[in-house]
Amino acid sequence: MKKSLLAALAAATALGCLPVAAESLITSDRVGPSDAPKKMVFRMTGDGPSSTDPTWAAGYTKLYTDFINNHPGWQLELQMMTGDISQEQARMLEQAKAGHAPDCAAIDSFVLPLFKQAGVLKSLSPYFKKEEIDQLFPFVRDGITAKDGQIYAWWWSTDLRVLYRNKEIVPTAPETWADAKEAALASVKAGMEGMLFNGSRYEGTAFDWLGNFWGQGGKLVDDAGKPIFADAANRDKFIKAVNYYRDLVESGAAPKRVATIGNYDDFNAAAAAGTTAMFVGGNWQYRQLQNSMEPEEFAKWTFSMLPGITADQRSTGTGGWTVAAFSAEPEKVEMCAALAREVYMGPANALQEQLPTRADLYDKYDVFKSEANQTFAKALKVGQARPGVLVYPEISNQIQIMMGKVLTGAATTDAAVDEAFKATLDAYGRL
């Protein structure tokens, strides 16, 4: 509580330090003078001045103030997305097809192929240098580039999933699924809930879990983008990964309520309240835990790579956010690219410790030289991005449905997996 109060005071102090004229530049739905002759609508996530984290809110307020001062005559109308990212992105795609999209928007990397395929995005190639694009990690560069060789978004942050643990309760990092179950059961005996993870109808449920499948060498789709995750070569790996989570719940190593969890904030709250000793979360939560806990409590927490079926078979999902333009007005497309460049491509990475997508930025910002971020960077070597294929959103949707049935015991694993596989093949056939 004390830490949160100090953070809030720090944010207020930061705002108070701004010049009077600059202070009025930021409201809940606008950046820049209300009478500015030029306006760009930006639909955004919480990665901005309205962040729920006071420290980040203050940092973004400074970044956005500098940005709008560098672009006199402009104002940004801010449209905030809700936490239901999948629904938000689907709605925005339909709006774009109908010609009603915002000028510029945050697009989750895993649905970017749908926007590219729909032809609703404007090229950002004129606004980024070749050497900047060449510095992007290959999976990022491929993700934003279309068949015509143009880039249609700027992928500014990436992330990965890890296993967080309270060192006082779980002193040794679990390396295998069996290790994780044993440690979780031991934490239950110590009065904790066991291991927490997302298990409800939520993209995070599918993505956080996929590392367990990928670590065994499993493939979601073939080279043509057709689902193959439960064919003859992959079915056994997929079922083993599903049964890993099922066994955690049935054994009591994870609480039954994981089937209803679809929000990483729940894990932070449980860690702060001392009700859990382990959870599967994202790298960005390390800083969130640091911001929300007293130093002596935060010192008890650490993280490690996700366990694998064996210690040598481990992987993790890598995702992240992009910024893309929909506007038919070239001046607004250029402004959107400037926003991606000046606010998000580096400064926002450093502010939130969101892992950069450019290799050179790890050397530019001291924050990425920390032991924690160096460890994250090493884990990225076994990271895997979601396949940039049109059918992926339906694969994720079916995994979410399947996981609900399995974790609640409503269906056998084999039946749930086969049903999910058939549904994705049907969806692929309709593309």
Side-chain angles (χ1 to χ4, degrees), residues 390-404:
L390 296 178
V391 77
Y392 174 75
E394 184 58 23
I395 291 177
S396 172
N397 181 48
Q398 292 300 326
I399 289 176
Q400 296 165 37
I401 295 171
M402 173 209 68
M403 197 62 77

Side-chain angles (χ1 to χ4, degrees), residues 262-395:
N263 190 329
Y264 296 100
D265 291 344
D266 286 359
F267 308 147
N268 294 342
T275 58
T276 188
M278 288 200 300
F279 66 87
V280 176
N283 65 287
W284 63 90
Q285 290 182 265
Y286 187 76
R287 178 69 181 275
Q288 291 176 335
L289 292 176
Q290 187 176 29
N291 288 345
S292 62
M293 290 180 170
E294 295 288 355
E296 59 270 25
E297 289 300 314
F298 175 69
K300 298 176 183 176
W301 284 85
T302 188
F303 63 90
S304 56
M305 291 174 59
L306 293 179
I309 190 170
T310 69
D312 296 328
Q313 293 176 288
R314 304 163 81 168
S315 184
T316 185
T318 57
W321 282 92
T322 76
V323 174
F326 295 95
S327 178
E329 300 179 41
E331 196 174 23
K332 292 183 178 179
V333 177
E334 184 174 5
M335 186 66 169
C336 183
L339 181 67
R341 169 190 295 285
E342 297 174 32
V343 173
Y344 290 101
M345 189 181 73
N349 293 115
L351 171 65
Q352 292 188 260
E353 295 192 36
Q354 291 208 31
L355 301 175
T357 55
R358 283 175 48 178
D360 56 331
L361 294 182
Y362 285 84
D363 295 326
K364 180 177 180 179
Y365 294 96
D366 287 342
V367 67
F368 294 114
K369 298 174 183 175
S370 69
E371 181 179 351
N373 282 321
Q374 289 294 314
T375 304
F376 286 134
K378 291 178 182 176
L380 276 174
K381 294 179 180 178
V382 295
Q384 189 160 331
R386 287 160 281 195
V389 295
L390 296 178
V391 77
Y392 174 75
E394 184 58 23
I395 291 177

Side-chain angles (χ1 to χ4, degrees), residues 34-333:
S34 59
D35 60 351
K38 301 176 184 178
K39 182 170 77 173
M40 182 181 79
V41 177
F42 180 47
R43 189 169 298 170
M44 64 191 303
T45 66
D47 296 326
S50 296
S51 170
T52 56
D53 183 303
T55 303
W56 293 349
Y60 272 114
T61 295
K62 175 69 166 57
L63 290 176
Y64 267 80
T65 299
D66 291 346
F67 176 73
I68 209 65
N69 282 335
N70 287 336
H71 298 274
W74 282 90
Q75 63 167 292
L76 306 181
E77 178 185 319
L78 305 180
Q79 296 180 351
M80 299 299 298
M81 297 183 195
T82 67
D84 190 342
I85 297 303
S86 295
Q87 186 178 64
E88 288 281 357
Q89 299 284 295
R91 181 168 66 96
M92 189 162 63
L93 179 57
E94 291 308 310
Q95 290 176 331
K97 289 178 178 177
H100 303 306
D103 300 315
C104 180
I107 296 180
D108 202 326
S109 57
F110 85 95
V111 292
L112 185 60
L114 299 181
F115 287 83
K116 289 195 303 181
Q117 176 72 17
V120 295
L121 301 177
K122 304 302 179 186
S123 173
L124 297 186
S125 290
Y127 312 109
F128 290 92
K129 300 175 183 175
K130 181 179 183 300
E131 50 266 35
E132 291 175 323
I133 297 172
D134 288 345
Q135 278 289 334
L136 292 169
F137 294 134
F139 75 90
V140 173
R141 190 166 55 246
D142 291 345
I144 63 175
T145 304
K147 293 180 180 177
D148 62 4
Q150 300 286 303
I151 64 168
Y152 284 89
W154 190 257
W155 191 335
W156 65 275
S157 70
T158 188
D159 51 35
L160 72 158
R161 277 66 188 161
V162 294
L163 181 65
Y164 286 90
R165 73 180 195 278
N166 182 322
K167 292 179 289 187
E168 287 193 341
I169 309 299
V170 185
T172 303
E175 294 191 353
T176 67
W177 295 349
D179 292 343
K181 177 182 177 182
E182 181 180 354
L185 287 172
S187 75
V188 171
K189 288 182 179 179
M192 306 286 179
E193 278 193 290
M195 193 167 91
L196 300 182
F197 51 82
N198 283 310
S200 71
R201 288 289 298 275
Y202 177 57
E203 166 61 16
T205 291
F207 195 32
D208 296 355
W209 166 85
L210 274 171
N212 299 301
F213 174 58
W214 285 330
Q216 301 173 72
K219 303 293 184 185
L220 284 178
V221 297
D222 63 15
D223 291 342
K226 180 182 178 181
I228 58 171
F229 62 83
D231 67 4
N234 291 287
R235 189 170 185 273
D236 181 60
K237 300 181 181 73
F238 199 87
I239 286 177
K240 284 179 179 176
V242 176
N243 279 338
Y244 164 48
Y245 268 21
R246 180 172 197 144
D247 182 49
L248 289 174
V249 173
E250 290 182 346
S251 67
K256 292 181 179 178
R257 78 178 183 92
V258 294
T260 65
I261 296 179
N263 190 329
Y264 296 100
D265 291 344
D266 286 359
F267 308 147
N268 294 342
T275 58
T276 188
M278 288 200 300
F279 66 87
V280 176
N283 65 287
W284 63 90
Q285 290 182 265
Y286 187 76
R287 178 69 181 275
Q288 291 176 335
L289 292 176
Q290 187 176 29
N291 288 345
S292 62
M293 290 180 170
E294 295 288 355
E296 59 270 25
E297 289 300 314
F298 175 69
K300 298 176 183 176
W301 284 85
T302 188
F303 63 90
S304 56
M305 291 174 59
L306 293 179
I309 190 170
T310 69
D312 296 328
Q313 293 176 288
R314 304 163 81 168
S315 184
T316 185
T318 57
W321 282 92
T322 76
V323 174
F326 295 95
S327 178
E329 300 179 41
E331 196 174 23
K332 292 183 178 179
V333 177

